[in-house]
Amino acid sequence: MPGSFKISSHQLMILILLYSVGTVILHTPSPLAGFAKQDAWLAALFGTGIALIFVWFYIKVGNLYPDLALDQINEKVFGTLVGKMINLTFFFWSFSTAAETTYYVGNFIKTFWMPDTPLVALNILLAAVVIFTVRLGFETFTRTLEIFFIPVLLLLTIFLVSIIPQGNIQNIQPVFEGGAKPLIRAILFYVSVFTLSPVMFLMIFPSKVSERKKGGKAFYIGTLIGGIILILVIMMDILVLGPDNTARNIAPSYTMAKKINVGNFLMRIEAVIATIWIFTTYTRTVMYFYVSVVVFSNIFNIKDYRPFTTALGMIMVFYSLIVFPTVSSSGNTIKIYGYSMQRLLVWSCLYYCL
């Protein structure tokens, strides 16, 4: 059966780490700098600390029902009718976000690499890869992440080390210039992006983890390392570009990578950050799409989710083109109902603990 897989705690850690970096590494520094200016890295630092508190909360919920996925817990705790209604919002959130990340990748490639290529072609290409991955099974997917994890981590290290000479410490000074209010707004934004969405890992933790006792530790480590990476990237964005340029740029990390120059030899390696971002965003998209098709099939009490993958994948492409015609509109759409659905799931988890 497609739902009978098991993954190791090491695979869970890699999955959470790559998922955490995901779209955040490229697009989050800009709004954070818009809120908190040079204190954006502090917002990421405090937000990561809050994320670890939420991880403790998610682990506690998972351990209350170790043999059930999140959608099954909803039906068990709230009853079949109310549980399925909550799961329906769960499906719409994960499916909509999968469409959003599909749009982000296609729009990025079109804007920076292939301006003459139709966006629909790029979105179809990514969707086809995501559909193929989900049909092969989640265990195959996590094994693939293990293979590419070290190269991605190595490329990211090269990127961060190479950009250090371009930094200017004055760009992050003075600290707390704008006071507490802008920083709090930035922290809340970071929490909504980085902290709330991992609630979906309760679909596989701990019920699908072979080493349950180590799974909680893996959850912490993956979130912590992912948060540290984002803190460093956001800090370097501010140091190299300055807070104003970071806030105005739709992809500041990619722009920052263009400034790398080590001895007039190592130059223009922005493809490195682009490769990291596309792969981690692919990881995030697969996770969202997998959760959406599994929850969708469970709503109708169908054990095999694979027959739905192609149809939902095609709808996802159409959805990404219609609902998210621009980057700004996608952000507004997610703010309207995406974060609300995240909060609904988190509050549901809180109810389980009471």
Side-chain angles (χ1 to χ4, degrees), residues 4 75 91 93 144 147 179 246 258 263 281 289 296 315 320-321:
S4 60
E75 292 193 26
F91 162 74
W93 165 53
T144 303
I147 297 173
T246 300
K258 294 181 179 180
T281 303
F289 187 68
F296 184 81
I315 297 173
S320 68
L321 297 171

Side-chain angles (χ1 to χ4, degrees), residues 239-272:
L239 287 171
V240 175
L241 301 178
D244 293 333
N245 288 333
T246 300
R248 288 194 296 264
N249 202 308
I250 62 171
S253 301
Y254 183 78
T255 302
M256 175 179 63
K258 294 181 179 180
K259 296 182 177 294
I260 291 177
N261 186 346
V262 180
N264 291 324
F265 173 73
L266 188 62
M267 303 170 61
R268 299 300 300 268
I269 61 170
E270 59 269 19
V272 171

Side-chain angles (χ1 to χ4, degrees), residues 164-173 236 238-242:
I164 288 176
Q166 305 296 325
N168 183 357
I169 192 66
Q170 293 181 353
N171 285 336
I172 62 172
Q173 297 175 343
M236 293 310 304
I238 303 297
L239 287 171
V240 175
L241 301 178

Side-chain angles (χ1 to χ4, degrees), residues 168-205:
N168 183 357
I169 192 66
Q170 293 181 353
N171 285 336
I172 62 172
Q173 297 175 343
V175 180
F176 292 119
E177 181 184 26
K181 186 175 179 179
L183 182 60
I184 292 173
R185 291 181 63 192
I187 292 173
L188 292 176
F189 174 80
Y190 184 86
V191 166
S192 68
V193 174
F194 181 76
T195 304
L196 297 183
S197 62
V199 68
M200 70 166 51
F201 283 105
L202 290 176
M203 288 294 295
I204 60 173
F205 172 86

Side-chain angles (χ1 to χ4, degrees), residues 1 29 44 49 54 59 70 90 139 143 160 190 194 217-218 224 268 289 309 319 326 339:
M1 294 299 295
F54 272 79
I59 292 173
L70 180 56
F90 192 9
E139 192 172 1
R143 289 178 180 177
L160 290 173
Y190 184 86
F194 181 76
K217 184 178 180 181
L224 177 61
R268 299 300 300 268
F289 187 68
T309 54
Y319 195 26
T326 64
Y339 297 149

Side-chain angles (χ1 to χ4, degrees), residues 65-82:
Y65 305 93
D67 297 318
L68 300 178
L70 180 56
D71 59 338
Q72 296 170 327
I73 297 175
N74 287 334
E75 292 193 26
K76 180 179 179 64
V77 174
F78 294 101
T80 302
L81 180 59
V82 177

Side-chain angles (χ1 to χ4, degrees), residues 2 5 131-144 286 290 305-306:
F5 67 88
I131 292 169
F132 184 68
T133 301
V134 174
R135 287 186 67 87
L136 287 178
F138 204 82
E139 192 172 1
T140 303
F141 169 58
T142 53
R143 289 178 180 177
T144 303
V286 170
Y290 167 79
Y305 63 83
R306 289 176 297 185

